[in-house]
């Protein structure tokens, strides 16, 4: 019996030595899955506007653009919509200009590369107004129709509607205006030519 006890003690002692020589288990590191948010630098409206220089213009009739735009009044808004039943802002502008023989891109940022900049005090019907709404760049476009108003497919109203460009919401997000169409030149009467023609035909 004494030998058995000695054998068991020897076995436990040997096991202890083996365990002592084993490398220690590496400490587990808790990996955090929390999202890290990097603060992005705010871009001023003026800085965004400076990216869009002068682009090509088209000959057209501003009054025809204005009247065509009113035909879409009340059409429901849908982001990405481009049918006659649902429209977003840039699709609305594209359809109005296309109906007048002027092909503009589908995207509002691409549309902003056409025409030349005009100030709010110089606005004429048919000019395009660009805004920074849900993005840090051009993300909304409307058509100026005169009297301080624009027609646009608006998320806020859920349809093609008329809004004042002086509303605080739009004033704070306004980037720039572009004149995309030049009015078709009307032949102006030349009074000197008329006098010459009248005198020579006597």
């Amino acid at each position: 019996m004494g030998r058995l006890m000695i054998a068991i003690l020897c076995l436990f002692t040997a096991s202890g030595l083996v365990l002592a020589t084993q490398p220690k288990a590496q400490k587990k590191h808790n990996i955090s899955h929390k999202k890290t948010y990097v603060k992005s630098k705010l871009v001023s409206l003026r800085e965004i506007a400076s990216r869009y220089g002068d682009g090509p213009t088209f000959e057209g009739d501003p009054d025809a653009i204005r009247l065509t735009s009113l035909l879409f009044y009340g059409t429901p808004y849908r982001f990405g919509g481009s049918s006659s039943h649902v429209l977003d802002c840039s699709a609305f502008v594209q359809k109005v200009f296309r109906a007048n023989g002027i092909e503009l891109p589908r995207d509002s940022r691409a549309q902003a590369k056409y025409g030349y900049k005009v100030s709010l005090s110089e606005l004429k019907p048919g000019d395009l107004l660009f805004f920074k709404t849900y993005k840090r760049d051009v993300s909304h476009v409307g058509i100026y129709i005169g009297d301080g108003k624009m027609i646009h497919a608006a998320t806020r109203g859920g349809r093609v509607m008329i809004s004042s460009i002086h509303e605080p919401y739009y004033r704070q997000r306004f980037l720039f205006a572009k004149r995309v169409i030049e009015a078709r030149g009307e032949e102006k009467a030349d009074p000197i030519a008329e006098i010459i023609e009248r005198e020579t035909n006597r």
Side-chain angles (χ1 to χ4, degrees):
M1 187 69 183
R3 287 182 180 179
L4 182 61
M5 290 296 293
I6 292 169
I8 292 170
L9 286 170
C10 288
L11 184 63
F12 274 110
T13 304
S15 300
L17 289 170
V18 171
L19 289 171
T21 57
Q22 293 296 317
K24 290 183 179 179
Q26 289 186 348
K27 200 174 184 181
K28 289 184 179 179
H29 296 283
N30 293 325
I31 300 172
S32 175
H33 295 285
K34 289 182 179 180
K35 291 182 180 179
T36 54
Y37 295 94
V38 179
K39 286 186 178 180
S40 55
K41 184 183 176 184
L42 291 174
V43 183
S44 69
L45 301 182
R46 184 174 292 180
E47 187 177 339
I48 296 170
S50 67
R51 299 173 191 167
Y52 296 87
D54 293 346
T57 57
F58 303 91
E59 189 180 72
D61 184 351
D63 286 333
I65 293 288
R66 180 167 52 174
L67 289 172
T68 305
S69 69
L70 292 171
L71 295 175
F72 291 91
Y73 184 80
T75 302
Y77 172 91
R78 181 186 295 168
F79 183 79
S82 58
S83 71
S84 298
H85 306 292
V86 287
L87 291 165
D88 65 14
C89 63
S90 56
F92 165 63
V93 169
Q94 185 187 50
K95 282 188 176 295
V96 169
F97 277 73
R98 181 179 286 167
N100 286 274
I102 298 169
E103 195 62 39
L104 289 178
R106 171 68 177 82
D107 181 73
S108 58
R109 279 178 292 179
Q111 291 172 357
K113 295 177 181 177
Y114 284 75
Y116 57 90
K117 290 179 187 174
V118 291
S119 66
L120 289 176
S121 61
E122 299 172 316
L123 283 176
K124 291 181 179 179
D127 290 344
L128 295 182
L129 301 160
F130 294 94
F131 302 86
K132 168 189 170 184
T133 52
Y134 68 94
K135 289 183 180 179
R136 292 178 188 154
D137 207 328
V138 173
S139 54
H140 188 63
V141 59
I143 301 172
Y144 186 68
I145 55 173
D147 196 28
K149 294 181 176 65
M150 66 174 173
I151 185 167
H152 59 136
T155 54
R156 300 180 82 218
R159 60 192 172 89
V160 175
M161 58 187 293
I162 294 172
S163 302
S164 169
I165 64 172
H166 303 297
E167 284 182 28
Y169 178 85
Y170 296 111
R171 288 288 290 190
Q172 290 166 13
R173 292 162 177 79
F174 175 74
L175 288 170
F176 52 84
K178 286 285 197 80
R179 183 155 300 152
V180 177
I181 55 171
E182 295 286 5
R184 290 192 178 97
E186 296 179 1
E187 290 186 11
K188 294 181 179 179
D190 185 347
I192 297 175
E194 288 179 359
I195 292 170
I196 293 170
E197 185 177 1
R198 186 172 64 245
E199 291 299 318
T200 52
N201 290 329
R202 277 187 175 182

